Amino acid sequence: MGPVSSSWSFNKFFAIVCVVFAISGEFVAGYYRPGPWRYAHATFYGDETGSETMGGACGYGNLFNSGYGLSTAALSTTLFKDGYGCGQCFQITCSKSPHCYYGKSTVVTATNLCPPNWYQDSNNGGWCNPPRTHFDMAKPAFMKLANWKAGIIPVAYRRVPCQRSGGMRFKFQGNSYWLLVFVMNVGGAGDIKSMAVKGSRTNWISMSHNWGASYQAFSSLYGQSLSFRVTSYTTGETVYAWNVAPANWNAGMTYKSTANFR
């Protein structure tokens, strides 16, 4: 048997290393991993019912119907990133305040924007003014961390994987010549960088970012079954959701896929 090439040796070595790391839990391809802990502040908006948190800048609508419930937060513009932060998940714990419930943490999904308030100082009311990192949480989520009478608390937070049940959901708006899609229940990193749509009689058509978690295509797609190509903003990973909507799809409907990020 002749000598083994150096490229073959390297590939074999790399494969063995990947297997070892996968077994040890340090590396699993295709899975989003928690990020480092950082520090910020948190407030809350609305009441215990969460009625004021419905809707929001991400476009998820009724958060109960969308599957997010009251474990949500509005992000300051630094985190919101013009809507590319929509759907991201954060583990938050109260830090260094007499109002903290120590040992408690909660995971929230970004569903809204906390806009700047330039009429107030960033350290006195203008909590969401850039470049501050801030979470304006649904009150029930805030109450898991601290006494709500505190008003504002220092927190430690980190990005975590979004644990979703089932596949991504696509809520349709628009008409037969303009398709606007809101994407919900996104797993893994939770966010979206870009999308494309494919009709049963078309090639892939790039969709432009409209606002929040919505993407649009100016094409005549009615009467065709639709598939979507979704790319994560954080990881760059792409997932294909085939045959999500039937040929007789309609605006106002939400269609479920079996595909999702991990």
Side-chain angles (χ1 to χ4, degrees):
M1 181 177 179
V4 178
S5 69
S6 59
S7 61
W8 184 91
S9 299
F10 174 80
N11 290 338
K12 183 177 180 182
F13 172 75
F14 181 76
I16 293 172
V17 169
C18 286
V19 170
V20 170
F21 277 132
I23 293 173
S24 68
E26 296 177 33
F27 173 79
V28 179
Y31 284 84
Y32 179 71
R33 292 304 187 194
W37 286 97
R38 295 185 170 91
Y39 293 96
H41 285 79
T43 49
F44 66 87
Y45 68 114
D47 57 20
E48 289 86 345
T49 69
S51 59
E52 292 183 34
T53 68
M54 297 298 110
C58 290
Y60 296 134
N62 185 303
L63 298 179
F64 291 107
N65 295 340
S66 302
Y68 300 118
L70 298 178
S71 296
T72 63
L75 306 182
S76 59
T77 52
T78 301
L79 290 172
F80 190 72
K81 300 175 183 176
D82 293 325
Y84 291 107
C86 288
Q88 293 179 353
C89 296
F90 298 87
Q91 182 182 10
I92 304 176
T93 183
C94 186
S95 173
K96 301 177 182 178
S97 168
H99 301 284
C100 289
Y101 299 148
Y102 285 103
K104 302 292 185 181
S105 70
T106 191
V107 175
V108 297
T109 299
T111 59
N112 204 354
L113 167 68
C114 180
N117 184 351
W118 300 115
Y119 295 101
Q120 293 183 301
D121 185 86
S122 297
N123 294 310
N124 186 24
W127 309 120
C128 291
N129 294 348
R132 287 182 64 102
T133 302
H134 190 86
F135 298 89
D136 199 17
M137 304 172 68
K139 189 174 181 180
F142 184 95
M143 291 171 65
K144 293 179 180 179
L145 305 179
N147 188 322
W148 66 270
K149 293 182 180 179
I152 182 171
I153 54 173
V155 297
Y157 76 96
R158 64 175 179 169
R159 286 277 305 279
V160 294
C162 296
Q163 303 293 335
R164 304 299 183 206
S165 176
M168 290 180 285
R169 303 173 189 171
F170 300 83
K171 182 170 68 174
F172 285 20
Q173 297 294 339
N175 52 52
S176 57
Y177 298 97
W178 170 58
L179 178 64
L180 179 67
V181 180
F182 294 86
V183 189
M184 304 172 291
N185 202 53
V186 180
D191 51 26
I192 298 172
K193 177 184 179 180
S194 61
M195 281 184 60
V197 60
K198 184 183 185 310
S200 52
R201 299 192 301 272
T202 73
N203 293 320
W204 285 105
I205 300 168
S206 294
M207 304 179 75
S208 59
H209 185 216
N210 186 289
W211 57 279
S214 69
Y215 289 77
Q216 61 190 358
F218 294 92
S219 300
S220 179
L221 293 167
Y222 195 73
Q224 301 180 60
S225 59
L226 302 182
S227 302
F228 293 96
R229 185 178 68 209
V230 184
T231 299
S232 167
Y233 178 82
T234 297
T235 68
E237 181 185 2
T238 297
V239 167
Y240 290 82
W242 295 102
N243 300 315
V244 170
N248 62 343
W249 60 265
N250 281 297
M253 298 293 293
T254 299
Y255 299 94
K256 298 181 180 180
S257 73
T258 57
N260 213 332
F261 296 88
R262 298 179 294 177

